[in-house]
């Protein structure tokens, strides 16, 4: 029950994530863009300015020493030694470039599979929790209405929970993911959720409070040791959401990315 109805229109749903501005974070953030020219020549956070000063000084010193040696000892063998040095320089350049590309490709591949695995595990954990709660409901016909209201509100909150989790880790222009609807929630609750940045934590707290109220009122008829498993599955899903956010929020180090692109 994570995909039933899609919000139409250009306005995002009331609980769409308000991301922090990238400039407010201490981590160096960047965008490569279409052609990558601004990315290549960006100075903020780059290692090239300082490296250029050091390498230029060494290059001038080496050139002076080389010219002095040529003037003192003559130019015999200069062309041959120059060709050999060029081969060594080209070999070293290719080795460093290959290492950088291989390392970054490996990191990207690992992040891709880690992110996909975490999202599937989150969905599985929360689906199992919701399915168990539906099975744990009181079968007494006298409580049929209370049980039905609890189940409807539960599946809607779980749907909103997974939608908010996806919005926290997604990097897309359109983050209006599918949910069931917002039935059973009053306007005050929706406005409160809309004002929060970390909506996953708020919805999770609502779900836990809903479960406690249902246990006290007799809507959930299962023994406490059985309902404990539900709380564990909910908490495991929250931990994996934090792990998935790590992939989306921690970019590949800018100096490393810039150097690889330039080379």
């Amino acid at each position: 029950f994570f995909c039933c109805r899609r919000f139409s229109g250009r306005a995002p749903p009331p609980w769409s994530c308000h991301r922090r501005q990238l400039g407010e974070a201490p981590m160096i953030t960047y965008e490569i863009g279409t052609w990558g020219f601004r990315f290549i020549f960006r100075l903020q956070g780059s290692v090239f300015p300082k490296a250029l000063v050091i390498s230029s000084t060494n290059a001038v010193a080496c050139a002076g020493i080389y010219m002095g040696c040529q003037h003192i000892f003559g130019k015999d063998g200069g062309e041959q030694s120059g060709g050999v040095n060029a081969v060594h320089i080209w070999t070293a350049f290719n080795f460093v470039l290959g290492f950088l590309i291989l390392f970054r490709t490996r990191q990207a591949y690992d992040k891709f599979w880690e992110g996909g695995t975490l999202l599937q595990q989150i969905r599985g954990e929360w689906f199992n929790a919701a399915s168990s709660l539906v099975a744990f409901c009181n079968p007494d016909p006298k409580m049929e209405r209370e049980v039905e209201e609890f189940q409807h509100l539960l599946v809607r909150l779980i749907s909103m929970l997974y939608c908010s989790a996806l919005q926290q880790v997604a990097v897309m222009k359109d983050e209006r993911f599918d949910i069931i609807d917002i039935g059973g929630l009053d306007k005050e609750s929706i406005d409160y959720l809309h004002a929060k940045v970390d909506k996953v934590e708020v919805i999770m707290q609502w779900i836990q409070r809903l479960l406690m109220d249902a246990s006290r009122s007799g809507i959930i008829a299962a023994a406490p040791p059985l309902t404990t498993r539900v709380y564990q599955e909910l908490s495991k899903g929250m931990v994996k959401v934090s792990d998935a956010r790590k992939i989306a929020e921690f970019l590949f180090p800018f100096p490393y990315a810039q150097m690889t692109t330039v080379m």
Side-chain angles (χ1 to χ4, degrees):
F1 29 73
F2 293 126
C3 302
C4 272
R5 188 172 69 86
R6 183 175 181 82
F7 282 91
S8 59
R10 301 183 62 181
W15 50 86
S16 60
C17 292
H18 295 276
R19 294 182 178 274
R20 293 193 299 267
Q21 295 296 325
L22 296 179
E24 298 176 0
M27 182 177 59
I28 301 176
T29 58
Y30 58 90
E31 293 182 0
I32 297 179
T34 304
W35 300 103
F37 291 113
R38 294 182 61 185
F39 171 74
I40 292 176
F41 294 104
R42 172 178 170 174
L43 297 180
Q44 181 183 3
S46 175
V47 298
F48 281 108
K50 184 180 293 185
L52 184 62
V53 173
I54 299 174
S55 61
S56 299
T57 304
N58 293 333
V60 172
C62 290
I65 295 174
Y66 176 77
M67 294 177 64
C69 292
Q70 291 288 81
H71 179 73
I72 295 174
F73 299 105
K75 299 182 180 181
D76 295 338
E79 295 181 359
Q80 182 178 359
S81 62
V84 174
N85 291 334
V87 172
H88 290 322
I89 293 174
W90 181 250
T91 303
F93 175 82
N94 288 334
F95 173 79
V96 174
L97 179 60
F99 175 79
L100 293 176
I101 294 177
L102 179 63
F103 178 75
R104 185 169 185 183
T105 303
R106 180 64 181 178
Q107 291 293 317
Y109 183 80
D110 291 342
K111 283 188 174 183
F112 170 77
W113 279 111
E114 182 183 3
T117 301
L118 287 173
L119 290 179
Q120 291 298 320
Q121 290 177 345
I122 292 168
R123 185 183 186 279
E125 295 281 359
W126 289 344
F127 178 85
N128 289 336
S131 177
S132 298
L133 289 172
V134 171
F136 293 163
C137 288
N138 197 328
D140 190 355
K142 297 180 180 180
M143 302 193 64
E144 181 178 359
R145 180 178 178 181
E146 290 81 359
V147 169
E148 185 177 358
E149 291 178 353
F150 166 77
Q151 292 177 348
H152 278 272
L153 181 57
L154 174 66
V155 296
R156 282 164 174 78
L157 289 177
I158 293 291
S159 177
M160 293 170 57
L161 179 66
Y162 191 65
C163 173
S164 299
L166 291 179
Q167 288 175 336
Q168 283 192 343
V169 302
V171 184
M172 304 170 60
K173 294 182 179 179
D174 185 6
E175 297 182 357
R176 296 175 298 176
F177 299 110
D178 299 336
I179 67 167
I180 297 178
D181 55 42
I182 55 175
L185 296 175
D186 52 51
K187 185 178 183 301
E188 183 180 358
S189 300
I190 295 298
D191 293 339
Y192 177 82
L193 184 62
H194 178 65
K196 299 303 176 181
V197 177
D198 295 324
K199 297 175 176 56
V200 176
E201 286 80 356
V202 176
I203 299 175
M204 177 61 68
Q205 189 63 31
W206 287 354
I207 294 175
Q208 292 178 341
R209 182 61 182 269
L210 176 67
L211 300 186
M212 290 300 300
D213 292 342
S215 298
R216 284 192 294 263
S217 61
I219 296 176
I220 297 179
L226 295 178
T227 57
T228 301
R229 185 182 65 181
V230 174
Y231 290 100
Q232 293 175 350
E233 290 174 337
L234 292 173
S235 64
K236 288 180 181 178
M238 286 295 298
V239 172
K240 290 171 182 176
V241 169
S242 299
D243 289 340
R245 290 181 62 179
K246 171 193 66 177
I247 300 175
E249 295 176 359
F250 288 84
L251 302 177
F252 197 80
F254 171 74
Y256 201 117
Q258 187 187 44
M259 180 172 294
T260 305
T261 303
V262 171
M263 294 182 68

